[in-house]
Structures are given as structure tokens and as C-alpha cells.
Amino acid sequence: MLLKTFPIQFRSLLRNAGLIALSAFAVFSALPAIAAPIALSSFLASPVEGTWRTEKGTELTVAPCNAGFCGTLSWIVVPPEYSAICQQDKAAFGTAMVDLKNADPALRTRPMLGLQILTLKPTDDPLAFTVHIYNAEDGKDYDGSVWIMNNNETLRMGGGCLGNMCAVTQDWPKVPARDVSPDFTCTAP
């Protein structure tokens, strides 16, 4: 009997939802598709997942995490004022790229590459998220909002408005993930 092949928790979930017959139909109707499998994640991915390029060229990769979705620094563009020093010894410069302005002295030696700086939580709108941002440039945390726009190709980061004061809004395009990540470049694009 097909029902016995399902794990107990899955069976009880299906039974409670009245989906036993539907699940058996789905299993048997999917058998021809075994020859050409499609990744289930392609149907379940959130539009916020992917790699996004900031206005200065740095890239963040957003992926599911325990807190919702987390954005990590996956490609850093070294500011022009440090470009010459970086080019002299890229490896040493990369080692020196640490979270120096963090308010917590114990965190000031952690590497910037791969550092989580965004925590996004879904809202009732599948294209809108609340965001907690760690700004390594000043070592402070901020809260704001994120919207996915333009057919899931643009991430709009903004803090919204309070009275007549509004936070700066930035639009970040979605870009392909890099083969080598996290990494950095000494020159701006």
C-alpha cells in the first residue's frame, strides 16, 4: 500500500489536510517525469534569493537561513582610494579587510569577505521584506524595507519615511553568481 511507504509525519500531515488521494495521484503521475527531473528548489525559491550588485559594485548573495534570508558579502569592490595599496599586494590586503569599525571590539578582526550584513524577513507580500542591515562602513545596525521589482530583477533597498524625512533608497540589479566567491577586486568596475 502506497500510504505505508510515506514517512509517518508526512502521512499524518497529508491525512490531516485530506490529501492522501491527491498525494498518491501526484506520485504516480510524476513517474514519467523521472526521466527529465526538474529541481524542486526552482519552484520554491524566493524572489529575494540570488546575487545583487550595490551602487558601488560590491555584491551580496542572499540565501535562506535560520532567521529568514541572509545576505553575505560575496564580491567586494575596494574603494578607489585604496586601489593602489590593494594592487601592490592583493593577498595581504585581503587579509587586512576586517570589520574594523564594529562597535564590539571582539568582532573587529572578523573578515569582511563572506560577512553577513543583511537579515531579511518575509512579510505578507511575497515581494516585500523587512531588513536588518549591518553597515560595516560605520559599524552600525539599521532597519528598513526591501522590495523585489522589475520581474524579480531589481532589489530596492529603502528605509521608508517618517513624517517628511525619508531614508535613501537604492536599486540593486540581480547579477549572475560568480564562479569564485567570496572574493574581491582592487579596481572599480
Side-chain angles (χ1 to χ4, degrees), residues 3 17-18 20 34 39 54 65 72 76 80 87 89 122 134 150 165 175-176:
L3 183 59
I20 292 294
I34 291 173
T54 69
C65 66
T72 59
I76 295 176
Q87 290 175 2
D89 189 348
Y134 171 67
N150 300 330
M165 295 175 46
V175 296

Side-chain angles (χ1 to χ4, degrees), residues 38-46:
I38 297 174
L40 185 58
S41 61
S42 65
F43 295 107
L44 302 176
S46 170

Side-chain angles (χ1 to χ4, degrees), residues 2-173:
L2 177 65
L3 183 59
K4 290 189 182 212
T5 64
F6 284 101
I8 293 170
Q9 296 87 358
F10 188 65
R11 280 194 319 236
S12 64
L13 175 68
L14 293 174
R15 184 176 292 113
N16 290 341
L19 297 175
I20 292 294
L22 181 60
S23 66
F25 171 77
V27 168
F28 288 118
S29 65
L31 287 177
I34 291 173
I38 297 174
L40 185 58
S41 61
S42 65
F43 295 107
L44 302 176
S46 170
V48 77
E49 292 179 56
T51 302
W52 306 91
R53 182 178 295 132
T54 69
E55 291 178 337
K56 294 181 181 179
T58 291
E59 296 173 7
L60 290 98
T61 298
V62 176
C65 66
N66 289 338
F69 296 93
C70 294
T72 59
L73 291 168
S74 53
W75 179 257
I76 295 176
V77 175
V78 173
E81 61 269 24
Y82 300 108
S83 181
I85 298 168
C86 178
Q87 290 175 2
Q88 289 174 2
D89 189 348
K90 185 179 178 190
F93 193 88
T95 303
M97 286 192 324
V98 294
D99 192 9
L100 191 59
K101 295 188 179 179
N102 197 300
D104 182 348
L107 298 177
R108 291 181 184 159
T109 58
R110 65 183 179 171
M112 294 301 297
L113 287 173
L115 181 67
Q116 178 185 325
I117 63 168
L118 299 179
T119 304
L120 302 109
K121 295 188 186 275
T123 66
D124 291 338
D125 179 346
L127 299 177
F129 299 81
T130 60
V131 63
H132 183 79
I133 307 158
Y134 171 67
N135 182 353
E137 291 179 7
D138 65 11
K140 295 182 180 176
D141 295 304
Y142 300 92
D143 292 316
S145 298
V146 164
W147 300 270
I148 305 301
M149 306 170 63
N150 300 330
N151 200 27
N152 301 338
E153 294 300 316
T154 303
L155 182 147
R156 176 164 286 169
M157 174 83 64
C161 296
L162 179 61
N164 62 354
M165 295 175 46
C166 296
V168 175
T169 299
Q170 295 183 11
D171 287 346
W172 299 348

